Amino acid sequence: MKLLDMKKVMPLIKLAIAEDLGDGDVTSNLLFREKITAKSYIISREEIVVCGMEIIREILKLYNEKLKLKVLVKDGEHAYVGKRIGIVEGPLGPMLSAERVMLNFLQRLSGIATTTQKFVRAIEGTKAKIYDTRKTTPGWRLLRNTPSAAEAGIITASAYMTEY
């Protein structure tokens, strides 16, 4: 399986962080010192196909190198309601600062993978195929075509154009 090129995704991640933080996370900086550490769980609220865990790892590194992610459910795997899909450990302030950006990527990508799989299941046993469009939210095309999304059944427009 081809891995996602994080160098190509990094500008979008940095843009999201800059937009979210603005002049900084005043609350976390004021209330929490570097020495306060914590453990938090990423828990699924719905049945999903997980997508974006390695991106989360990179997001956490940008907030603080000491933030660590333990993946419990890998990209492309299913998670049921209430399932712990990851554990984040490290300094509490940066962890809280990273939460919104981290969850935005995870929710969007898992939503794409989950919806794609629903459509793929709906056409099982037919000759129909699911194709991805090249039209997407600016900056998100590479992410929408992640390996776990492909495993869920997408045939990308670029693959279609080069293979046929």
Side-chain angles (χ1 to χ4, degrees):
M1 174 189 345
K2 183 180 173 189
L3 297 176
L4 184 62
D5 184 351
M6 284 298 168
K7 288 179 186 174
K8 291 181 180 178
V9 178
M10 201 53 69
L12 182 61
I13 292 171
K14 288 180 178 180
L15 179 65
I17 290 171
E19 184 177 299
D20 185 61
L21 281 181
D23 292 330
D25 187 345
V26 176
T27 306
S28 292
N29 291 339
L30 190 61
L31 296 177
F32 305 108
R33 302 286 179 238
E34 180 78 20
K35 64 183 176 184
I36 299 174
T37 60
K39 177 193 282 189
S40 65
Y41 299 95
I42 304 168
I43 301 172
S44 179
R45 291 185 179 176
E46 299 178 17
E47 288 189 29
I48 61 168
V49 174
V50 174
C51 185
M53 297 303 280
E54 292 309 311
I55 293 167
I56 287 176
R57 188 181 313 279
E58 294 301 316
I59 290 169
L60 291 171
K61 281 184 201 175
L62 290 173
Y63 279 88
N64 189 302
E65 284 286 331
K66 294 179 183 174
L67 287 172
K68 302 299 177 197
L69 172 68
K70 180 178 181 182
V71 175
L72 302 176
V73 180
K74 296 176 186 171
D75 283 359
E77 294 179 347
H78 292 263
Y80 53 82
V81 176
K83 174 75 174 168
R84 290 179 179 176
I85 62 175
I87 302 171
V88 178
E89 292 187 80
L92 181 58
M95 184 185 302
L96 293 173
S97 296
E99 178 187 21
R100 185 172 23 251
V101 172
M102 180 183 76
L103 291 177
N104 283 343
F105 276 87
L106 182 63
Q107 289 169 340
R108 182 166 181 140
L109 293 171
S110 294
I112 292 167
T114 302
T115 301
T116 300
Q117 188 173 73
K118 287 177 185 177
F119 284 112
V120 169
R121 284 188 175 157
I123 63 165
E124 281 180 353
T126 72
K127 292 182 180 183
K129 293 181 182 177
I130 303 294
Y131 288 90
D132 186 21
T133 177
R134 63 180 179 78
K135 297 175 175 97
T136 185
T137 305
W140 279 83
R141 182 180 301 161
L142 181 65
L143 290 174
R144 290 192 63 226
N145 294 329
T146 60
S148 60
E151 286 174 15
I154 294 175
I155 299 173
T156 66
S158 60
Y160 178 74
M161 286 187 273
T162 57
E163 290 181 13
Y164 298 98

